Amino acid sequence: MRHGKKFNHLGRTAAHRKAMLANMACSLIEHKRINTTVAKAKALKQFIEPLITKSKSENNQTTEKGTHNRRIVFSNLRDKYAVTELFGEVANKVGDRPGGYTRIIKLGNRLGDNADMAMIELVDFNEVYNTGKSAKKSTRRSRRGGSKKVETAPVAEAKVDDSEE
């Protein structure tokens, strides 16, 4: 029965599951993206997003709060280098983001056992997706004013006239 099942147990004991998620979270913080199965990626997303929220500078205004949050994150990750990078580089990048720090992209099935594979990555460290979103305009245009392309026709004619001379 599945009564009270709040999260995916991933077919492992509690100690094995905690160790696996801690190792995967450290790898994600270090490499900024990892390939894994879809079920593990979803479990990792639930595991790491509260830790990233604790690392943001707005949550660590005083030294007491900062030390407390570092100790909480270290008790989950168990790797001081990952905690240092999380509170340093990662926290600076995600400082203005209100949540949703990771992205899961499905990759297809694994050849050996046909498992659903996915890539989980930190959103702010992907330059491919973030370059187009920085040039977003905030104004809204109507449909009626969109047919003002009179300037392009004379320019094309001028080029034709220059080439004939």
Side-chain angles (χ1 to χ4, degrees):
M1 282 185 273
R2 62 157 308 277
H3 297 304
K5 182 180 175 186
K6 300 286 186 190
F7 57 91
N8 193 351
H9 296 286
L10 300 172
R12 288 163 170 81
T13 61
H16 186 188
R17 186 173 51 251
K18 287 178 187 175
M20 182 191 66
L21 289 174
N23 288 333
M24 288 174 64
C26 292
S27 296
L28 181 64
I29 291 167
E30 181 184 351
H31 300 292
K32 310 303 186 259
R33 73 175 56 146
I34 57 172
N35 291 335
T36 183
T37 63
V38 173
K40 287 181 189 174
K42 289 179 181 179
L44 179 62
K45 183 172 188 154
Q46 290 178 348
F47 179 80
I48 199 166
E49 294 221 353
L51 302 180
I52 296 174
T53 302
K54 285 184 185 359
S55 73
K56 290 169 65 171
S57 61
E58 65 193 28
N59 296 332
N60 300 313
Q61 295 294 329
T62 62
T63 56
E64 293 85 15
K65 285 186 177 181
T67 306
H68 181 64
N69 285 335
R70 277 183 185 265
R71 286 178 176 168
I72 290 173
V73 170
F74 181 75
S75 69
N76 287 322
L77 289 182
R78 306 178 201 151
D79 185 4
K80 63 181 179 181
Y81 301 112
V83 172
T84 303
E85 184 156 350
L86 179 65
F87 275 78
E89 182 182 352
V90 176
N92 290 336
K93 277 259 189 161
V94 302
D96 57 341
R97 184 175 290 276
Y101 311 111
T102 57
R103 175 187 297 130
I104 296 175
I105 300 171
K106 295 185 180 177
L107 299 176
N109 295 340
R110 189 162 49 195
L111 287 177
D113 59 354
N114 206 28
D116 289 333
M117 296 299 289
M119 177 179 66
I120 183 169
E121 64 182 0
L122 295 174
V123 172
D124 291 312
F125 288 91
N126 189 340
E127 293 83 19
V128 176
Y129 287 143
N130 293 342
T131 54
K133 295 188 179 188
S134 62
K136 182 181 174 184
K137 292 188 177 182
S138 62
T139 60
R140 191 167 180 170
R141 297 181 181 168
S142 66
R143 291 182 180 227
R144 288 190 281 170
S147 63
K148 292 183 180 178
K149 297 198 176 186
V150 180
E151 293 181 21
T152 56
V155 173
E157 292 174 10
K159 288 182 181 178
V160 174
D161 293 335
D162 290 339
S163 64
E164 289 176 3
E165 292 176 4

